[in-house]
Amino acid sequence: MNRDNILAVLKPLIHDLVSGNFELIEQSGRNGPYSSLELKELIDEYGGQLTSPPEDDFININVIEIENEPEYAVEYELWIDNTKSDLTLSCTVRTETDKETISIENIHVL
């Protein structure tokens, strides 16, 4: 899987987080172990307003290939109040029959 494929599923997830579309994230199965309410609480606890990152910041995603699996661990530092923060989105991107899926693993301070 190349970086563009990962970004193709990561960017919409970040957009939905920034837009507060937590129910849509849950309905689409990208929420991982969290309910929509828990996702909102994880972000609200940090403080400030989650904002969209500049396009050129996506070069800073950390991608780790999981050995012997069709998946990747991805970490990305979210932006709060138009500034990069230490609030990190950890997720898993999987390749399934010519399509990628993404699932949140954690939103935490790193």
Side-chain angles (χ1 to χ4, degrees):
M1 180 184 317
N2 66 38
R3 198 171 194 81
D4 289 339
N5 293 17
I6 292 171
L7 289 174
V9 291
L10 178 64
K11 286 181 179 181
L13 176 59
I14 291 172
H15 174 76
D16 286 339
L17 288 169
V18 168
S19 300
N21 293 330
F22 304 112
E23 289 183 13
L24 175 62
I25 293 169
E26 185 175 3
Q27 291 168 356
S28 61
R30 299 175 291 162
N31 56 307
Y34 302 101
S35 69
S36 58
L37 180 60
E38 290 170 326
L39 288 174
K40 181 179 182 340
E41 288 173 353
L42 285 169
I43 292 168
D44 288 349
E45 284 175 7
Y46 186 83
Q49 177 68 40
L50 194 61
T51 52
S52 295
E55 188 64 31
D56 63 352
D57 189 63
F58 286 105
I59 63 170
N60 295 316
I61 61 171
N62 184 18
V63 178
I64 301 163
E65 185 173 0
I66 307 300
E67 197 171 321
N68 300 321
E69 295 291 333
E71 62 185 42
Y72 298 80
V74 177
E75 292 193 341
Y76 181 74
E77 294 172 340
L78 297 169
W79 284 62
I80 305 289
D81 298 328
N82 295 311
T83 303
K84 184 174 229 150
S85 73
D86 58 355
L87 185 64
T88 302
L89 169 67
S90 296
C91 49
T92 301
V93 176
R94 291 179 186 84
T95 301
E96 300 174 358
T97 320
D98 297 334
K99 85 173 196 176
E100 286 75 35
T101 60
I102 191 165
S103 178
I104 294 172
E105 297 298 327
N106 202 353
I107 297 176
H108 55 103
V109 175
L110 234 186

PDB file of all heavy atoms in Angstrom, residues 9-21:
ATOM      1  N   VAL A   9      -7.852   7.453   3.068  1.00  0.00           N
ATOM      2  CA  VAL A   9      -8.788   7.092   4.144  1.00  0.00           C
ATOM      3  C   VAL A   9      -8.538   7.919   5.411  1.00  0.00           C
ATOM      4  O   VAL A   9      -9.456   8.130   6.200  1.00  0.00           O
ATOM      5  CB  VAL A   9      -8.769   5.575   4.458  1.00  0.00           C
ATOM      6  CG1 VAL A   9      -9.363   4.786   3.305  1.00  0.00           C
ATOM      7  CG2 VAL A   9      -7.390   5.076   4.809  1.00  0.00           C
ATOM      8  N   LEU A  10      -7.312   8.401   5.595  1.00  0.00           N
ATOM      9  CA  LEU A  10      -6.984   9.191   6.784  1.00  0.00           C
ATOM     10  C   LEU A  10      -7.596  10.586   6.709  1.00  0.00           C
ATOM     11  O   LEU A  10      -8.186  11.066   7.688  1.00  0.00           O
ATOM     12  CB  LEU A  10      -5.467   9.284   6.953  1.00  0.00           C
ATOM     13  CG  LEU A  10      -4.979  10.120   8.143  1.00  0.00           C
ATOM     14  CD1 LEU A  10      -5.426   9.490   9.461  1.00  0.00           C
ATOM     15  CD2 LEU A  10      -3.459  10.277   8.095  1.00  0.00           C
ATOM     16  N   LYS A  11      -7.469  11.260   5.587  1.00  0.00           N
ATOM     17  CA  LYS A  11      -7.964  12.635   5.461  1.00  0.00           C
ATOM     18  C   LYS A  11      -9.470  12.744   5.723  1.00  0.00           C
ATOM     19  O   LYS A  11      -9.890  13.641   6.467  1.00  0.00           O
ATOM     20  CB  LYS A  11      -7.610  13.214   4.089  1.00  0.00           C
ATOM     21  CG  LYS A  11      -6.156  13.561   3.947  1.00  0.00           C
ATOM     22  CD  LYS A  11      -5.896  14.145   2.576  1.00  0.00           C
ATOM     23  CE  LYS A  11      -4.455  14.529   2.378  1.00  0.00           C
ATOM     24  NZ  LYS A  11      -4.239  15.125   1.040  1.00  0.00           N
ATOM     25  N   PRO A  12     -10.305  11.873   5.144  1.00  0.00           N
ATOM     26  CA  PRO A  12     -11.737  11.977   5.456  1.00  0.00           C
ATOM     27  C   PRO A  12     -12.044  11.734   6.932  1.00  0.00           C
ATOM     28  O   PRO A  12     -12.947  12.364   7.493  1.00  0.00           O
ATOM     29  CB  PRO A  12     -12.390  10.908   4.579  1.00  0.00           C
ATOM     30  CG  PRO A  12     -11.422  10.667   3.473  1.00  0.00           C
ATOM     31  CD  PRO A  12     -10.061  10.899   4.079  1.00  0.00           C
ATOM     32  N   LEU A  13     -11.292  10.845   7.578  1.00  0.00           N
ATOM     33  CA  LEU A  13     -11.494  10.603   9.000  1.00  0.00           C
ATOM     34  C   LEU A  13     -11.165  11.866   9.803  1.00  0.00           C
ATOM     35  O   LEU A  13     -11.930  12.270  10.678  1.00  0.00           O
ATOM     36  CB  LEU A  13     -10.640   9.425   9.478  1.00  0.00           C
ATOM     37  CG  LEU A  13     -10.691   9.125  10.973  1.00  0.00           C
ATOM     38  CD1 LEU A  13     -12.118   8.826  11.436  1.00  0.00           C
ATOM     39  CD2 LEU A  13      -9.758   7.976  11.313  1.00  0.00           C
ATOM     40  N   ILE A  14     -10.051  12.489   9.501  1.00  0.00           N
ATOM     41  CA  ILE A  14      -9.680  13.729  10.197  1.00  0.00           C
ATOM     42  C   ILE A  14     -10.715  14.817   9.926  1.00  0.00           C
ATOM     43  O   ILE A  14     -11.126  15.536  10.836  1.00  0.00           O
ATOM     44  CB  ILE A  14      -8.262  14.170   9.800  1.00  0.00           C
ATOM     45  CG1 ILE A  14      -7.246  13.173  10.367  1.00  0.00           C
ATOM     46  CG2 ILE A  14      -7.971  15.590  10.288  1.00  0.00           C
ATOM     47  CD1 ILE A  14      -5.837  13.366   9.903  1.00  0.00           C
ATOM     48  N   HIS A  15     -11.174  14.921   8.697  1.00  0.00           N
ATOM     49  CA  HIS A  15     -12.216  15.902   8.361  1.00  0.00           C
ATOM     50  C   HIS A  15     -13.472  15.678   9.206  1.00  0.00           C
ATOM     51  O   HIS A  15     -14.052  16.624   9.744  1.00  0.00           O
ATOM     52  CB  HIS A  15     -12.553  15.836   6.871  1.00  0.00           C
ATOM     53  CG  HIS A  15     -13.702  16.699   6.490  1.00  0.00           C
ATOM     54  ND1 HIS A  15     -13.602  18.066   6.376  1.00  0.00           N
ATOM     55  CD2 HIS A  15     -14.995  16.396   6.235  1.00  0.00           C
ATOM     56  CE1 HIS A  15     -14.782  18.572   6.066  1.00  0.00           C
ATOM     57  NE2 HIS A  15     -15.648  17.571   5.969  1.00  0.00           N
ATOM     58  N   ASP A  16     -13.879  14.424   9.340  1.00  0.00           N
ATOM     59  CA  ASP A  16     -15.071  14.116  10.138  1.00  0.00           C
ATOM     60  C   ASP A  16     -14.842  14.406  11.617  1.00  0.00           C
ATOM     61  O   ASP A  16     -15.758  14.866  12.304  1.00  0.00           O
ATOM     62  CB  ASP A  16     -15.513  12.665   9.924  1.00  0.00           C
ATOM     63  CG  ASP A  16     -16.171  12.461   8.570  1.00  0.00           C
ATOM     64  OD1 ASP A  16     -16.643  13.452   7.963  1.00  0.00           O
ATOM     65  OD2 ASP A  16     -16.217  11.304   8.116  1.00  0.00           O
ATOM     66  N   LEU A  17     -13.651  14.159  12.128  1.00  0.00           N
ATOM     67  CA  LEU A  17     -13.339  14.505  13.517  1.00  0.00           C
ATOM     68  C   LEU A  17     -13.426  16.014  13.717  1.00  0.00           C
ATOM     69  O   LEU A  17     -14.045  16.488  14.671  1.00  0.00           O
ATOM     70  CB  LEU A  17     -11.950  13.997  13.912  1.00  0.00           C
ATOM     71  CG  LEU A  17     -11.791  12.490  14.108  1.00  0.00           C
ATOM     72  CD1 LEU A  17     -10.316  12.124  14.238  1.00  0.00           C
ATOM     73  CD2 LEU A  17     -12.565  12.018  15.333  1.00  0.00           C
ATOM     74  N   VAL A  18     -12.809  16.777  12.819  1.00  0.00           N
ATOM     75  CA  VAL A  18     -12.813  18.238  12.906  1.00  0.00           C
ATOM     76  C   VAL A  18     -14.242  18.779  12.811  1.00  0.00           C
ATOM     77  O   VAL A  18     -14.624  19.701  13.531  1.00  0.00           O
ATOM     78  CB  VAL A  18     -11.918  18.859  11.806  1.00  0.00           C
ATOM     79  CG1 VAL A  18     -12.126  20.364  11.691  1.00  0.00           C
ATOM     80  CG2 VAL A  18     -10.448  18.534  12.070  1.00  0.00           C
ATOM     81  N   SER A  19     -15.049  18.171  11.944  1.00  0.00           N
ATOM     82  CA  SER A  19     -16.433  18.619  11.745  1.00  0.00           C
ATOM     83  C   SER A  19     -17.374  18.156  12.846  1.00  0.00           C
ATOM     84  O   SER A  19     -18.537  18.541  12.878  1.00  0.00           O
ATOM     85  CB  SER A  19     -16.952  18.117  10.391  1.00  0.00           C
ATOM     86  OG  SER A  19     -16.165  18.619   9.340  1.00  0.00           O
ATOM     87  N   GLY A  20     -16.884  17.296  13.730  1.00  0.00           N
ATOM     88  CA  GLY A  20     -17.722  16.789  14.813  1.00  0.00           C
ATOM     89  C   GLY A  20     -18.709  15.734  14.370  1.00  0.00           C
ATOM     90  O   GLY A  20     -19.722  15.503  15.027  1.00  0.00           O
ATOM     91  N   ASN A  21     -18.398  15.061  13.272  1.00  0.00           N
ATOM     92  CA  ASN A  21     -19.278  14.017  12.730  1.00  0.00           C
ATOM     93  C   ASN A  21     -19.004  12.673  13.409  1.00  0.00           C
ATOM     94  O   ASN A  21     -18.742  11.666  12.756  1.00  0.00           O
ATOM     95  CB  ASN A  21     -19.084  13.882  11.209  1.00  0.00           C
ATOM     96  CG  ASN A  21     -19.546  15.101  10.469  1.00  0.00           C
ATOM     97  OD1 ASN A  21     -20.465  15.800  10.896  1.00  0.00           O
ATOM     98  ND2 ASN A  21     -18.916  15.375   9.335  1.00  0.00           N
TER      99      ASN A  21
END
